Amino acid sequence: MREGALLEARGLTKLYGPHVGCADVSFDLFPGEVLAIVGESGSGKSTLLSVLSTEMEPSDGAVSYRMRDGAVESLFDLDEARRRVLMRTDWGFIRQDAAQGLRMRVSAGGNVGERLMAVGQRHYGKIRASAEDWLARVEIDVARIDDKPTTFSGGMRQRLQIARNLVTHPRLVLMDEPTSGLDVSVQARLLDLIRGLVAELGLAVIIVTHDLAVARLLSHRIMVMRHGRVIETGLTDQVLDDPHEPYTQLLVSSVLAA
Amino acid sequence: MSAETTIETAGAPRGAADAATGYNFAYLDEQTKRMIRRAILKGIAIPGYQVPFASREMPMPYGWGTGGVQVTASVIGPDDVLKVIDQGSDDTTNAVSIRKFFARTAGVATTTHTAEATMIQTRHRIPEAPLREGQILVYQVPIPEPLRLLEPRETETRTLHALAEYGVMHVKLYEDIAQHGHIAKTYDYPVEVNGRYVMAPSPTPKFDNPKMEMSPALQLFGAGREQRIYAVPPYTRVRSLDFEDHPFTIQRFAEPCALCAATGVYLDEVVLDDRGGRMFVCSDSDHCEERRAAGHRGTMLAGAAGTENDHA
């Protein structure tokens, strides 16, 4: 693993029978770095994210991660207990559909507090204070702490998901199309919020999106995928302003100028 | 289990002269008892862990204590003295039927006195009188999985138990405090056994939870429909889940028992008429009767010493 890298993927391949989900994906991610994975629907972005989050085992390849104590571990060699602890303390996962990432029948405060209780906090007052603090940080009215996410708007749900994931101060956050399905002004606020939190907390982020504007706004580096393979990679501005691959050129040119 | 013990319970038992013929001792066949005893031994070895077992059809409906009956049938011996309670009472249909069932199929002596019993099968209460070493308390359990209402998938709850991931249990308690200002769960209150497994104590009132802690008696739990057996061995730590700033508390009653004047016991509310009349009376009928026999009189019996039989 390269000096200082947080995560290293090598030759990740996921096959669904004869069908290719993603093939031979390799990259390094450094602390505080935001990596965008872009491509059209069916290009393997979400498959790659599922493998990285250990929800699916890859058909081939390996992912190494540098733990808080500096030791490098291979994710798929960790036993399930340690992997789950890692997922709920050091990692976060913001899902496209907030209903999958939240407990919809549990209040906002309970949603934010769940990770704290899972790592052993047993003081109601302190858990509630953390929940209030995080709701304020993601710009949700603290008075709504006891409301269930079913009563929240789409943008609020996404912000609640962010609070729920960041409450244990993870070092790596995976995001799967966090802004899709939101209207443009809500998207803008959410992106602004994510950008602020990423900078403030020094988070490493892997964000999957089909929206190049999101990638440009948030990411430092970008990976373009097509048919399950990475076809172009580089600094975000470089790739978006001077795309080399014909497919990337097509993607960039098909963005509507506002 | 040694061959001797199997034979001892398998053969025609002493004192079983008036037991029904045509049944094996205590109804179940010996192979089934052996299977259930294995599950019980495993449960005792891993306190609070739910052991799957091949629950049998019993001559009673699910929900009436088929799990408890199978556990009792597997560990009862001819010298045992059996007590059966239902919500603390010795004389409800369920308690009477199960007591008669074992009197007929095992020919064992039965009692209503907690102190005389060597085995107590219970539905939803723990007797008020302290249990002693050598006694076995068998609980009838409807839903053995404490995480069930929070996580519907059995594969997932098993994983959560295996990894001791019980954060979701506290989310439930958190929600209670957020909504009601206190933990609103009053029965089947989850406990942590021996610092490891979170366990459902069956729908006993949380009033009884402290009695499970370091109890000298062996506590066995049988869930017939759900096919699970679990156990709390004698002298095992049983801690009710709570928060540091919202500690576990048991119910308190404003007035003593109307019949025996007992305080610090669990009381049932009995509606007397349709004009708001009500009385609070011991849920543990044996405890109440013993206190009255010892001369204690509650408000509704005060000055009515001669009419005790009307209430008995």
Side-chain angles (χ1 to χ4, degrees), chain A residues 104-124:
Chain A
M104 295 305 277
R105 288 190 290 177
V106 167
S107 70
N111 266 296
V112 179
E114 178 172 353
R115 277 181 164 221
L116 295 175
M117 293 182 249
V119 297
Q121 273 216 30
R122 293 290 179 261
H123 192 286
Y124 176 81

Side-chain angles (χ1 to χ4, degrees), chain A residues 108 112 130-140 142 145 160 163:
Chain A
V112 179
S130 307
E132 284 174 353
D133 177 40
W134 271 100
L135 288 182
R137 287 174 84 163
V138 298
E139 299 164 19
I140 293 176
V142 173
I145 187 167
L160 181 59

